[in-house]
Short mmCIF file of all heavy atoms in Angstrom, two decimals:
data_model
loop_
_atom_site.label_atom_id
_atom_site.label_comp_id
_atom_site.label_asym_id
_atom_site.label_seq_id
_atom_site.Cartn_x
_atom_site.Cartn_y
_atom_site.Cartn_z
N GLU Q 889 0.82 -1.23 0.00
CA GLU Q 889 -0.04 0.01 0.03
C GLU Q 889 0.81 1.25 -0.05
O GLU Q 889 0.53 2.28 -0.66
CB GLU Q 889 -0.89 -0.02 1.18
CG GLU Q 889 -2.01 -1.11 1.13
CD GLU Q 889 -1.51 -2.47 1.55
OE1 GLU Q 889 -0.37 -2.63 2.12
OE2 GLU Q 889 -2.20 -3.47 1.28
N GLU Q 890 1.92 1.18 0.77
CA GLU Q 890 2.82 2.45 0.74
C GLU Q 890 3.48 2.50 -0.57
O GLU Q 890 3.68 3.76 -1.04
CB GLU Q 890 3.99 2.14 1.83
CG GLU Q 890 4.94 3.32 1.90
CD GLU Q 890 6.04 3.06 2.82
OE1 GLU Q 890 6.01 2.12 3.69
OE2 GLU Q 890 7.18 3.74 2.72
N PHE Q 891 3.86 1.45 -1.18
CA PHE Q 891 4.43 1.54 -2.56
C PHE Q 891 3.47 2.22 -3.62
O PHE Q 891 3.88 3.21 -4.24
CB PHE Q 891 4.76 0.12 -3.09
CG PHE Q 891 5.13 -0.08 -4.52
CD1 PHE Q 891 6.39 0.25 -4.89
CD2 PHE Q 891 4.24 -0.52 -5.44
CE1 PHE Q 891 6.82 0.09 -6.19
CE2 PHE Q 891 4.52 -0.58 -6.75
CZ PHE Q 891 5.82 -0.35 -7.30
N ILE Q 892 2.31 1.71 -3.71
CA ILE Q 892 1.39 2.20 -4.76
C ILE Q 892 0.95 3.65 -4.38
O ILE Q 892 0.71 4.39 -5.28
CB ILE Q 892 0.22 1.26 -4.96
CG1 ILE Q 892 -0.42 1.64 -6.35
CG2 ILE Q 892 -0.83 1.25 -3.84
CD1 ILE Q 892 0.50 1.30 -7.51
N ALA Q 893 0.78 3.95 -3.15
CA ALA Q 893 0.41 5.27 -2.65
C ALA Q 893 1.41 6.37 -3.23
O ALA Q 893 0.96 7.52 -3.54
CB ALA Q 893 0.24 5.43 -1.15
N ARG Q 894 2.60 5.99 -3.33
CA ARG Q 894 3.64 6.90 -3.82
C ARG Q 894 3.34 7.23 -5.22
O ARG Q 894 3.49 8.47 -5.62
CB ARG Q 894 5.08 6.39 -3.66
CG ARG Q 894 5.47 6.14 -2.22
CD ARG Q 894 7.00 5.78 -2.10
NE ARG Q 894 7.40 5.66 -0.76
CZ ARG Q 894 8.68 5.54 -0.41
NH1 ARG Q 894 9.69 5.64 -1.25
NH2 ARG Q 894 9.03 5.38 0.95
N GLY Q 895 2.91 6.37 -5.96
CA GLY Q 895 2.57 6.71 -7.36
C GLY Q 895 1.29 7.50 -7.46
O GLY Q 895 1.23 8.42 -8.29
N TRP Q 896 0.29 7.26 -6.71
CA TRP Q 896 -0.98 8.01 -6.80
C TRP Q 896 -0.78 9.38 -6.26
O TRP Q 896 -1.35 10.38 -6.71
CB TRP Q 896 -2.03 7.29 -5.93
CG TRP Q 896 -2.61 6.14 -6.76
CD1 TRP Q 896 -2.44 4.86 -6.48
CD2 TRP Q 896 -3.32 6.16 -8.01
NE1 TRP Q 896 -3.06 4.06 -7.38
CE2 TRP Q 896 -3.60 4.85 -8.37
CE3 TRP Q 896 -3.82 7.21 -8.82
CZ2 TRP Q 896 -4.38 4.57 -9.52
CZ3 TRP Q 896 -4.55 6.87 -9.95
CH2 TRP Q 896 -4.74 5.63 -10.29
N ASP Q 897 0.16 9.46 -5.23
CA ASP Q 897 0.35 10.90 -4.71
C ASP Q 897 1.12 11.79 -5.73
O ASP Q 897 0.80 12.99 -5.80
CB ASP Q 897 1.37 10.84 -3.50
CG ASP Q 897 0.58 10.32 -2.27
OD1 ASP Q 897 -0.62 10.28 -2.28
OD2 ASP Q 897 1.21 9.97 -1.28
N GLU Q 898 1.88 11.23 -6.58
CA GLU Q 898 2.53 12.00 -7.64
C GLU Q 898 1.48 12.33 -8.75
O GLU Q 898 1.47 13.48 -9.29
CB GLU Q 898 3.68 11.15 -8.34
CG GLU Q 898 4.96 11.19 -7.33
CD GLU Q 898 6.27 10.88 -8.03
OE1 GLU Q 898 6.18 10.28 -9.11
OE2 GLU Q 898 7.23 11.23 -7.47
N CYS Q 899 0.63 11.51 -8.99
CA CYS Q 899 -0.54 11.84 -9.94
C CYS Q 899 -1.38 12.90 -9.36
O CYS Q 899 -1.85 13.72 -10.09
CB CYS Q 899 -1.33 10.48 -10.22
SG CYS Q 899 -0.42 9.31 -11.27
N LEU Q 900 -1.80 12.77 -8.11
CA LEU Q 900 -2.62 13.79 -7.53
C LEU Q 900 -1.86 15.19 -7.50
O LEU Q 900 -2.56 16.30 -7.76
CB LEU Q 900 -2.98 13.44 -6.10
CG LEU Q 900 -4.04 12.37 -5.97
CD1 LEU Q 900 -4.06 11.70 -4.59
CD2 LEU Q 900 -5.44 12.80 -6.37
N ALA Q 901 -0.62 15.24 -7.29
CA ALA Q 901 0.16 16.39 -7.40
C ALA Q 901 0.08 17.06 -8.79
O ALA Q 901 -0.07 18.29 -8.95
CB ALA Q 901 1.62 16.23 -6.95
N VAL Q 902 0.25 16.23 -9.84
CA VAL Q 902 0.21 16.87 -11.24
C VAL Q 902 -1.26 17.30 -11.51
O VAL Q 902 -1.47 18.12 -12.33
CB VAL Q 902 0.80 15.92 -12.22
CG1 VAL Q 902 -0.21 14.78 -12.72
CG2 VAL Q 902 1.32 16.60 -13.39
N LEU Q 903 -2.24 16.57 -10.93
CA LEU Q 903 -3.60 17.01 -11.04
C LEU Q 903 -3.82 18.45 -10.54
O LEU Q 903 -4.69 19.16 -11.09
CB LEU Q 903 -4.56 16.07 -10.59
CG LEU Q 903 -4.81 14.71 -11.30
CD1 LEU Q 903 -5.77 13.76 -10.54
CD2 LEU Q 903 -5.35 14.95 -12.76
N ASP Q 904 -3.10 18.70 -9.44
CA ASP Q 904 -3.26 20.05 -8.88
C ASP Q 904 -2.79 21.06 -9.94
O ASP Q 904 -3.29 22.12 -10.13
CB ASP Q 904 -2.37 20.14 -7.56
CG ASP Q 904 -3.00 19.40 -6.37
OD1 ASP Q 904 -4.25 19.12 -6.45
OD2 ASP Q 904 -2.30 19.08 -5.48
N ARG Q 905 -1.64 20.73 -10.52
CA ARG Q 905 -0.97 21.64 -11.57
C ARG Q 905 -2.03 21.76 -12.70
O ARG Q 905 -2.13 22.90 -13.39
CB ARG Q 905 0.38 21.02 -12.01
CG ARG Q 905 1.43 21.06 -10.85
CD ARG Q 905 2.58 20.23 -11.10
NE ARG Q 905 3.23 20.58 -12.28
CZ ARG Q 905 4.29 19.79 -12.83
NH1 ARG Q 905 4.69 18.66 -12.27
NH2 ARG Q 905 4.92 20.27 -14.02
N LEU Q 906 -2.55 20.69 -13.09
CA LEU Q 906 -3.57 20.68 -14.16
C LEU Q 906 -4.75 21.58 -13.82
O LEU Q 906 -5.20 22.45 -14.65
CB LEU Q 906 -4.08 19.26 -14.53
CG LEU Q 906 -5.16 19.17 -15.54
CD1 LEU Q 906 -4.67 19.82 -16.99
CD2 LEU Q 906 -5.52 17.72 -15.82
N ASP Q 907 -5.26 21.48 -12.67
CA ASP Q 907 -6.35 22.32 -12.24
C ASP Q 907 -6.04 23.81 -12.21
O ASP Q 907 -6.73 24.62 -12.73
CB ASP Q 907 -6.83 21.94 -10.87
CG ASP Q 907 -7.55 20.66 -10.69
OD1 ASP Q 907 -8.15 20.28 -11.68
OD2 ASP Q 907 -7.68 20.09 -9.61
N ALA Q 908 -4.79 24.11 -11.83
CA ALA Q 908 -4.32 25.52 -11.82
C ALA Q 908 -4.18 26.09 -13.24
O ALA Q 908 -4.63 27.17 -13.49
CB ALA Q 908 -2.96 25.56 -11.12
N ALA Q 909 -3.67 25.22 -14.08
CA ALA Q 909 -3.63 25.62 -15.53
C ALA Q 909 -4.90 25.85 -16.17
O ALA Q 909 -5.06 26.87 -16.92
CB ALA Q 909 -2.80 24.53 -16.38
N LEU Q 910 -5.93 25.06 -15.88
CA LEU Q 910 -7.29 25.27 -16.46
C LEU Q 910 -8.03 26.42 -15.83
O LEU Q 910 -8.92 27.01 -16.48
CB LEU Q 910 -8.04 23.96 -16.24
CG LEU Q 910 -7.65 22.83 -16.98
CD1 LEU Q 910 -8.31 21.51 -16.62
CD2 LEU Q 910 -7.88 22.95 -18.56
N ARG Q 911 -7.71 26.79 -14.60
CA ARG Q 911 -8.35 28.03 -14.06
C ARG Q 911 -7.82 29.30 -14.68
O ARG Q 911 -8.50 30.27 -14.69
CB ARG Q 911 -7.99 28.09 -12.57
CG ARG Q 911 -8.90 27.08 -11.74
CD ARG Q 911 -8.85 27.39 -10.26
NE ARG Q 911 -7.51 27.35 -9.71
CZ ARG Q 911 -6.90 26.20 -9.16
NH1 ARG Q 911 -7.59 25.11 -9.07
NH2 ARG Q 911 -5.66 26.39 -8.70
N ALA Q 912 -6.55 29.28 -15.32
CA ALA Q 912 -6.04 30.53 -15.88
C ALA Q 912 -5.30 30.16 -17.17
O ALA Q 912 -4.14 30.17 -17.40
CB ALA Q 912 -4.94 30.96 -14.90
N LEU Q 913 -6.19 29.54 -18.05
CA LEU Q 913 -5.79 29.06 -19.37
C LEU Q 913 -4.95 30.21 -20.07
O LEU Q 913 -5.39 31.22 -20.34
CB LEU Q 913 -6.90 28.67 -20.21
CG LEU Q 913 -7.32 27.09 -20.04
CD1 LEU Q 913 -8.56 26.83 -20.96
CD2 LEU Q 913 -6.14 26.18 -20.48
N ASP Q 914 -3.77 29.71 -20.56
CA ASP Q 914 -2.96 30.58 -21.47
C ASP Q 914 -2.75 29.88 -22.78
O ASP Q 914 -1.93 28.94 -22.87
CB ASP Q 914 -1.61 30.83 -20.78
CG ASP Q 914 -0.75 31.81 -21.47
OD1 ASP Q 914 -0.97 32.05 -22.67
OD2 ASP Q 914 0.21 32.37 -20.95
N TYR Q 915 -3.39 30.29 -23.73
CA TYR Q 915 -3.42 29.63 -25.07
C TYR Q 915 -2.10 29.78 -25.86
O TYR Q 915 -1.88 29.09 -26.81
CB TYR Q 915 -4.62 30.02 -25.89
CG TYR Q 915 -5.92 29.49 -25.30
CD1 TYR Q 915 -6.73 30.25 -24.45
CD2 TYR Q 915 -6.38 28.23 -25.66
CE1 TYR Q 915 -7.91 29.70 -23.98
CE2 TYR Q 915 -7.60 27.83 -25.17
CZ TYR Q 915 -8.38 28.54 -24.31
OH TYR Q 915 -9.55 27.97 -23.88
N GLU Q 916 -1.38 30.82 -25.48
CA GLU Q 916 -0.14 31.09 -26.15
C GLU Q 916 1.01 30.39 -25.50
O GLU Q 916 2.06 30.14 -26.16
CB GLU Q 916 0.09 32.65 -26.11
CG GLU Q 916 -1.04 33.45 -26.77
CD GLU Q 916 -1.22 33.02 -28.20
OE1 GLU Q 916 -0.19 32.91 -28.93
OE2 GLU Q 916 -2.33 32.98 -28.63
N ALA Q 917 1.06 30.10 -24.20
CA ALA Q 917 2.22 29.52 -23.54
C ALA Q 917 2.27 28.05 -23.80
O ALA Q 917 1.22 27.36 -24.09
CB ALA Q 917 2.04 29.80 -22.02
N ASP Q 918 3.51 27.58 -23.77
CA ASP Q 918 3.73 26.15 -23.89
C ASP Q 918 3.11 25.38 -22.73
O ASP Q 918 3.38 25.66 -21.57
CB ASP Q 918 5.32 25.88 -23.87
CG ASP Q 918 5.68 24.44 -23.92
OD1 ASP Q 918 4.83 23.56 -24.14
OD2 ASP Q 918 6.88 24.25 -23.80
N PRO Q 919 2.11 24.38 -23.04
CA PRO Q 919 1.52 23.66 -21.96
C PRO Q 919 2.48 22.97 -21.07
O PRO Q 919 2.16 22.69 -19.87
CB PRO Q 919 0.62 22.63 -22.68
CG PRO Q 919 0.36 23.24 -24.03
CD PRO Q 919 1.60 24.10 -24.36
N CYS Q 920 3.62 22.57 -21.47
CA CYS Q 920 4.61 21.91 -20.76
C CYS Q 920 5.05 22.78 -19.51
O CYS Q 920 5.42 22.26 -18.40
CB CYS Q 920 5.85 21.56 -21.47
SG CYS Q 920 5.63 20.35 -22.63
N LEU Q 921 4.96 24.13 -19.68
CA LEU Q 921 5.27 25.02 -18.52
C LEU Q 921 4.28 24.74 -17.29
O LEU Q 921 4.70 25.06 -16.19
CB LEU Q 921 5.31 26.48 -19.00
CG LEU Q 921 6.32 26.81 -20.04
CD1 LEU Q 921 6.05 28.30 -20.52
CD2 LEU Q 921 7.75 26.65 -19.58
N ALA Q 922 3.11 24.33 -17.64
CA ALA Q 922 2.12 24.20 -16.58
C ALA Q 922 2.12 22.83 -15.92
O ALA Q 922 2.08 22.68 -14.68
CB ALA Q 922 0.74 24.54 -17.10
N THR Q 923 2.22 21.79 -16.81
CA THR Q 923 2.08 20.38 -16.29
C THR Q 923 3.22 19.50 -16.69
O THR Q 923 3.16 18.27 -16.28
CB THR Q 923 0.80 19.80 -16.86
OG1 THR Q 923 0.69 20.12 -18.33
CG2 THR Q 923 -0.41 20.42 -16.22
N GLY Q 924 4.24 19.99 -17.22
CA GLY Q 924 5.51 19.18 -17.42
C GLY Q 924 5.67 18.80 -18.81
O GLY Q 924 4.75 18.85 -19.66
N GLN Q 925 6.97 18.35 -19.05
CA GLN Q 925 7.34 18.02 -20.46
C GLN Q 925 6.94 16.73 -20.88
O GLN Q 925 7.10 16.40 -22.08
CB GLN Q 925 8.86 18.25 -20.54
CG GLN Q 925 9.31 19.68 -20.47
CD GLN Q 925 10.76 19.92 -20.79
OE1 GLN Q 925 11.61 19.18 -20.39
NE2 GLN Q 925 11.07 20.87 -21.58
N GLY Q 926 6.43 15.84 -20.10
CA GLY Q 926 5.88 14.67 -20.55
C GLY Q 926 6.80 13.46 -20.72
O GLY Q 926 6.29 12.37 -21.16
N TRP Q 927 8.03 13.58 -20.41
CA TRP Q 927 9.05 12.38 -20.39
C TRP Q 927 8.58 11.42 -19.37
O TRP Q 927 8.95 10.25 -19.59
CB TRP Q 927 10.50 12.87 -20.26
CG TRP Q 927 10.80 14.03 -21.14
CD1 TRP Q 927 11.09 15.30 -20.91
CD2 TRP Q 927 11.05 13.92 -22.60
NE1 TRP Q 927 11.42 15.98 -22.04
CE2 TRP Q 927 11.49 15.18 -23.03
CE3 TRP Q 927 10.97 12.81 -23.47
CZ2 TRP Q 927 11.70 15.40 -24.37
CZ3 TRP Q 927 11.26 13.03 -24.82
CH2 TRP Q 927 11.65 14.32 -25.33
N ILE Q 928 7.94 11.86 -18.32
CA ILE Q 928 7.54 10.86 -17.33
C ILE Q 928 6.04 10.80 -17.35
O ILE Q 928 5.31 11.65 -17.69
CB ILE Q 928 7.98 11.36 -15.94
CG1 ILE Q 928 7.65 12.82 -15.58
CG2 ILE Q 928 9.56 11.17 -15.77
CD1 ILE Q 928 8.12 13.37 -14.22
N ALA Q 929 5.57 9.60 -16.85
CA ALA Q 929 4.22 9.21 -17.07
C ALA Q 929 3.18 10.25 -16.61
O ALA Q 929 2.15 10.51 -17.29
CB ALA Q 929 4.00 7.80 -16.36
N GLU Q 930 3.31 10.64 -15.30
CA GLU Q 930 2.17 11.46 -14.87
C GLU Q 930 2.17 12.78 -15.53
O GLU Q 930 1.04 13.36 -15.74
CB GLU Q 930 2.26 11.69 -13.35
CG GLU Q 930 3.40 12.67 -12.88
CD GLU Q 930 4.80 12.00 -12.70
OE1 GLU Q 930 5.04 11.01 -13.36
OE2 GLU Q 930 5.58 12.53 -11.82
N GLU Q 931 3.31 13.31 -16.04
CA GLU Q 931 3.31 14.56 -16.76
C GLU Q 931 2.80 14.45 -18.18
O GLU Q 931 2.07 15.30 -18.76
CB GLU Q 931 4.60 15.13 -16.74
CG GLU Q 931 5.09 15.71 -15.30
CD GLU Q 931 6.43 16.36 -15.37
OE1 GLU Q 931 7.15 16.33 -16.45
OE2 GLU Q 931 6.92 16.97 -14.33
N ALA Q 932 3.04 13.25 -18.76
CA ALA Q 932 2.55 13.04 -20.13
C ALA Q 932 1.03 13.02 -20.05
O ALA Q 932 0.32 13.51 -20.97
CB ALA Q 932 3.14 11.71 -20.70
N PHE Q 933 0.50 12.26 -19.09
CA PHE Q 933 -1.00 12.22 -18.87
C PHE Q 933 -1.53 13.59 -18.72
O PHE Q 933 -2.50 14.08 -19.47
CB PHE Q 933 -1.32 11.38 -17.67
CG PHE Q 933 -2.74 11.54 -17.24
CD1 PHE Q 933 -3.85 10.94 -17.90
CD2 PHE Q 933 -3.03 12.36 -16.10
CE1 PHE Q 933 -5.10 11.05 -17.55
CE2 PHE Q 933 -4.39 12.49 -15.72
CZ PHE Q 933 -5.46 11.80 -16.42
N ALA Q 934 -0.99 14.45 -17.72
CA ALA Q 934 -1.59 15.77 -17.49
C ALA Q 934 -1.42 16.70 -18.72
O ALA Q 934 -2.43 17.42 -18.95
CB ALA Q 934 -0.90 16.30 -16.24
N THR Q 935 -0.32 16.69 -19.34
CA THR Q 935 -0.14 17.58 -20.38
C THR Q 935 -0.96 17.19 -21.62
O THR Q 935 -1.60 18.12 -22.35
CB THR Q 935 1.31 17.74 -20.77
OG1 THR Q 935 2.09 18.18 -19.64
CG2 THR Q 935 1.61 18.89 -21.79
#
């Protein structure tokens, strides 16, 4: 349970960043600046 919770906690953290990006949408800015560059799984999902 401790193992898998670490993964979900990182997903929940990037969902916080996604929520913030959607509250103040910037159509001109690179989305990666808000939710990450996507090389890692949770950032690819969020971006």
Side-chain angles (χ1 to χ4, degrees):
E889 292 79 15
E890 179 185 342
F891 169 81
I892 199 63
R894 293 189 179 193
W896 285 111
D897 285 346
E898 290 198 334
C899 288
L900 286 164
V902 84
L903 287 177
D904 289 341
R905 293 162 62 186
L906 176 59
D907 284 340
L910 290 169
R911 285 195 300 270
L913 269 178
D914 186 342
Y915 290 92
E916 301 301 320
D918 177 5
C920 292
L921 298 175
T923 45
Q925 292 191 314
W927 305 109
I928 53 178
E930 75 273 28
E931 291 185 353
F933 166 75
T935 305

